Amino acid sequence: PLTTRWCAHTNSFARGGGATNSTCLRKGRMTATVPTTTTKDDSDVNEMKKKTKVPFPHLRDIHTYEPTTFLYNPGELHPQKIKKQDWIRVFRMALPEFTKRAKMDDKVEDADVKSEVFRERFEKYLNDLNENEDEKMNVIHMCRFRDECLRRLGFYDCFRTVKREENMKALEALPRVLERLEEENAGILELVKGVFAGNIFDLGAAASQALFTDGDKGGEDDISKSFFETRDTKTDVFVVNNFDALKERWNDLTRVHEKCFIFVDNAGADVILGVLPLAREMLKRGTKVVLCANDVPSINDITIKELEELVFPTLLRMNDKDNVFKKAIESGQLACIGSGSDLPVIDLREISEPCANECLDCDLVVLIGMGRGIETNLRAEFSIDRINLGMVKHEEVAQLLNGPLYSCVCAFNAGANTV
């Protein structure tokens, strides 16, 4: 499997099982160890689409698996109170942020004109959905249409700049966050609430866009402070609450998980200040951890390239207590891999073959965020232990889960094969 691991022979990152069969990564660039494909964005997308997609191997029953959590076109007589027009409004409310980011994309010629073309095309799509019946309408199809509409106009990563800025700020703040967690002797509750606090950075949701804009004036010195303020003041309401079961399983040191697969979500504070401290605690317990990220950019979600070229090299240089990250990366205990996805949601019937192979021996899967852990896969059944962690950032989703906006989902289920 093409996980990214540290190669001791070459003193660099490597994709593959060892130094003799790998593509080495030095200073964020591919070496000429093996032939590489063109780095053009459109070619990357096309190459990803050509790759074989296979199911996540630990779905309990692929024939009954349904990725989407909610109905998007339930019909007027259906008891679900959120109807088709409500979901259309969710996507319509997020459209100004997408248009703004596209207009600011300095990699696209005539971005101001093309961003308006995107806005008009997506508005028409939403209007057509509103006026006509579409049995296939769901969050996956709507996200796919939006992203493909952007890519056809050349906007392959229009959130690129804000992602990098937030990644850099979060990486600078990570040592302070880890230090405070050590001082607190943080347990699983503090780590889970830290995931919720980080998950606020989501520019695909209108509510989070407003929060991010309101707090966008701070610098590196503010992010760790605001992270803990958010953790301690905005993460107490659990709309899905299996925390007691999770805590009991976590504290059972006779059955520490051997390998955890984490499907990560947003760049910045989400993955760096939220997920990495949780992963670090798993590493300290002896669990192998694999971070699984999109192969192709979508909204402000972290990509495998960003993990490989920025996050992991920074972790190697960072002097956290006992050098947990450095030792884990160098030994292969901490790795990352591309999911094969190009969307902010995920259908686990369609992941990359290397990703599926890498997780064959995992006994815990963690799905982070609204897209992968709430709007999809919240009701999915697995043969291994699973955790869904995310903050609810759509009012419509909050209503369907019978909770307030910014409530938290902590779902845990013991696997069918582990009970």
Side-chain angles (χ1 to χ4, degrees), residues 39-42 44-46 48 98 105 107 143-144 146-148 150-151 154-161 163 265 267 293-306 339-345 372:
T39 58
K40 290 183 179 178
D41 293 317
D42 53 350
D44 289 345
V45 175
N46 291 334
M48 188 212 69
F98 282 80
D105 193 338
K107 282 197 168 187
C143 286
R144 179 172 288 121
R146 182 178 60 193
D147 280 7
E148 289 185 351
L150 283 165
R151 290 168 190 147
F155 298 110
Y156 299 102
D157 193 6
C158 57
F159 290 80
R160 176 184 64 258
T161 300
K163 283 193 298 178
D265 189 14
N294 274 16
D295 281 271
V296 174
S298 180
I299 318 182
N300 63 306
D301 290 5
I302 194 83
T303 64
I304 184 63
K305 182 178 180 181
E306 289 158 346
S339 65
S341 177
D342 60 347
L343 297 175
V345 290
R372 293 163 188 81

Side-chain angles (χ1 to χ4, degrees), residues 66 68-88 91 128-142 400:
E66 172 54 52
T68 56
T69 303
F70 310 109
L71 296 175
Y72 267 59
N73 192 8
E76 292 303 317
L77 299 179
H78 194 279
Q80 180 176 294
K81 52 192 172 184
I82 301 300
K83 305 298 184 180
K84 178 177 78 169
Q85 58 269 26
D86 299 308
W87 295 121
I88 291 172
F91 279 80
D128 289 345
L129 277 181
N130 196 45
E131 295 171 6
N132 302 292
E133 290 300 313
D134 183 353
E135 294 180 356
K136 295 182 178 180
M137 176 184 169
N138 62 30
V139 65
I140 296 174
H141 289 134
M142 295 177 78
L400 289 173

Side-chain angles (χ1 to χ4, degrees), residues 4-6 12-15 23-31 36-39 41 44 107 157 160 164 167-168 171 272 291 293-295 297 302-317 329 336-337:
T4 298
R5 298 185 176 89
W6 184 255
S12 60
F13 279 109
R15 281 189 178 185
T23 300
C24 296
L25 300 172
R26 293 192 184 91
K27 297 181 180 178
R29 294 185 178 275
M30 293 283 189
T31 69
T36 60
T37 58
T38 177
T39 58
D41 293 317
D44 289 345
K107 282 197 168 187
D157 193 6
R160 176 184 64 258
R164 182 163 185 84
N167 281 336
M168 296 299 289
L171 285 167
I272 294 166
L291 305 182
N294 274 16
D295 281 271
I302 194 83
T303 64
I304 184 63
K305 182 178 180 181
E306 289 158 346
L307 287 177
E308 291 173 345
E309 297 187 358
L310 176 62
V311 177
F312 271 46
T314 304
L315 293 179
L316 273 173
R317 297 191 299 268
I329 292 171
C336 59
I337 195 168

Side-chain angles (χ1 to χ4, degrees), residues 8 73-74 209 216 220 292 331 380 404 415:
N73 192 8
Q209 293 165 11
D216 198 23
E220 290 92 349
C292 185
S331 68

Side-chain angles (χ1 to χ4, degrees), residues 130-359:
N130 196 45
E131 295 171 6
N132 302 292
E133 290 300 313
D134 183 353
E135 294 180 356
K136 295 182 178 180
M137 176 184 169
N138 62 30
V139 65
I140 296 174
H141 289 134
M142 295 177 78
C143 286
R144 179 172 288 121
F145 185 93
R146 182 178 60 193
D147 280 7
E148 289 185 351
C149 189
L150 283 165
R151 290 168 190 147
R152 287 192 191 104
L153 291 164
F155 298 110
Y156 299 102
D157 193 6
C158 57
F159 290 80
R160 176 184 64 258
T161 300
V162 68
K163 283 193 298 178
R164 182 163 185 84
E165 290 172 353
E166 293 305 305
N167 281 336
M168 296 299 289
K169 286 195 289 186
L171 285 167
E172 194 277 337
L174 180 58
R176 297 194 297 277
V177 170
L178 294 177
E179 182 178 0
R180 175 162 166 181
L181 290 172
E182 292 279 358
E183 291 172 355
E184 293 177 344
N185 194 25
I188 185 62
L189 178 60
E190 290 77 20
L191 294 169
V192 164
K193 292 176 74 172
V195 172
F196 299 149
N199 196 230
I200 282 182
F201 178 52
D202 182 355
L203 296 182
S208 292
Q209 293 165 11
L211 281 178
F212 178 73
T213 301
D214 290 343
D216 198 23
K217 298 178 178 62
E220 290 92 349
D221 293 338
D222 299 323
I223 189 170
S224 58
K225 180 181 178 182
S226 62
F227 171 79
F228 283 108
E229 286 178 351
T230 301
R231 188 200 69 175
D232 295 338
T233 62
K234 296 181 179 178
T235 61
D236 290 328
V237 180
F238 284 34
V239 69
V240 175
N241 189 356
N242 301 137
F243 178 76
D244 287 344
L246 170 59
K247 181 180 179 181
E248 182 179 356
R249 179 66 181 86
W250 178 270
N251 289 338
D252 184 356
L253 299 182
T254 66
R255 296 189 300 142
V256 173
H257 291 101
E258 294 184 5
K259 184 175 181 179
C260 175
F261 223 71
I262 304 179
F263 286 88
V264 294
D265 189 14
N266 304 305
D270 189 353
V271 65
I272 294 166
L273 303 186
V275 173
L276 283 179
L278 175 63
R280 183 174 180 270
E281 200 61 30
M282 291 181 181
L283 295 170
K284 289 164 63 177
R285 293 154 58 95
T287 302
K288 178 174 181 178
V289 177
V290 180
L291 305 182
C292 185
N294 274 16
D295 281 271
V296 174
S298 180
I299 318 182
N300 63 306
D301 290 5
I302 194 83
T303 64
I304 184 63
K305 182 178 180 181
E306 289 158 346
L307 287 177
E308 291 173 345
E309 297 187 358
L310 176 62
V311 177
F312 271 46
T314 304
L315 293 179
L316 273 173
R317 297 191 299 268
M318 191 182 74
N319 294 317
D320 61 310
K321 185 179 178 182
D322 299 324
N323 288 320
V324 174
F325 285 128
K326 185 176 188 295
K327 291 175 182 177
I329 292 171
E330 291 178 343
S331 68
Q333 188 192 2
L334 176 61
C336 59
I337 195 168
S339 65
S341 177
D342 60 347
L343 297 175
V345 290
I346 194 162
D347 181 341
L348 290 174
R349 293 170 299 192
E350 299 181 353
I351 64 174
S352 71
E353 196 167 16
C355 178
N357 290 336
E358 178 64 31
C359 65

Side-chain angles (χ1 to χ4, degrees), residues 390-403:
M391 181 173 278
V392 177
K393 292 160 287 190
H394 288 153
E395 181 65 45
E396 294 75 9
V397 173
Q399 288 185 43
L400 289 173
L401 294 176
N402 298 312

